[in-house]
Amino acid sequence: YQRRVRVSSGINAEYGYVIHNIGSEAATDVKLDDSYGFPTAEFEVVTGSLQASFDQIPAGTNVSHAVVLKPKIAGAHNFIPAMVNYKNSNGDDLVTFSSFLDNNPILTVAEYNRKYSPHLVDWLSFVGLCTPVLLIPFLTWHSSHSKYEALAAKAKKS
């Protein structure tokens, strides 16, 4: 299972979990809990839940779960692994954890836009400033080339 992360305060972020059963027997009574990694003081749950239950995950298959969160504050956040509890075919309670994402920054909206926006105004300004630099020499060349071609055509006729 994994969580996809690109986070900014005030902007919704989707976290996806995929739980793979790579064993040779079904896992039953599977419970995913990531409420410790996203405290309510720092994150607002927009849709979904930080906890999920699955009756059974057959061997060699996977299940997925998603939650949409909105970070309330910017700064460094330690994304701790989600906990997955399940029972094997013997009825033993087992625990495993998700991938560890380490400390990831939660960017402010301005930092997020600077880093991930398409920068259309910047590119339009760049094109606007480059156009005269390229267009003026081209038009000068085209004008003299046209005059030269006209003189060459007159010389051929005579």
Side-chain angles (χ1 to χ4, degrees):
Y1 28 91
Q2 65 190 48
R3 291 186 273 186
R4 291 167 266 162
V5 179
R6 185 183 286 179
V7 188
S8 171
S9 62
I11 296 178
N12 294 351
E14 178 184 349
Y15 294 87
Y17 305 87
V18 180
I19 302 173
H20 300 272
N21 182 353
I22 59 172
S24 59
E25 53 191 39
T28 58
D29 196 23
V30 180
K31 293 183 175 108
L32 167 70
D33 185 4
D34 204 7
S35 58
Y36 299 109
F38 299 101
T40 56
E42 297 178 20
F43 293 89
E44 172 189 343
V45 177
V46 178
T47 58
S49 174
L50 291 170
Q51 298 165 333
S53 299
F54 305 96
D55 293 331
Q56 179 177 338
I57 303 175
T61 63
N62 62 57
V63 294
S64 60
H65 176 70
V67 62
V68 177
L69 301 171
K70 182 187 292 187
K72 295 178 181 178
I73 58 171
H77 180 76
N78 186 17
F79 291 94
I80 63 173
M83 185 167 51
V84 179
N85 297 299
Y86 65 98
K87 292 182 180 179
N88 62 10
S89 61
N90 297 333
D92 300 328
D93 287 324
L94 301 170
V95 178
T96 188
F97 296 92
S98 69
S99 303
F100 187 65
L101 295 175
D102 205 14
N103 291 326
N104 288 304
I106 298 174
L107 305 173
T108 64
V109 174
E111 290 172 320
Y112 182 86
N113 287 338
R114 183 172 44 251
K115 193 168 186 177
Y116 297 110
S117 76
H119 303 283
L120 294 176
V121 173
D122 299 337
W123 280 109
L124 289 174
S125 300
F126 175 74
V127 168
L129 292 170
C130 287
T131 300
V133 172
L134 297 172
L135 192 59
I136 291 170
F138 173 75
L139 292 175
T140 304
W141 169 82
H142 184 64
S143 174
S144 63
H145 178 72
S146 299
K147 288 178 186 175
Y148 175 75
E149 290 293 323
L151 288 175
K154 275 187 187 179
K156 260 188 181 178
K157 287 183 184 177
S158 338

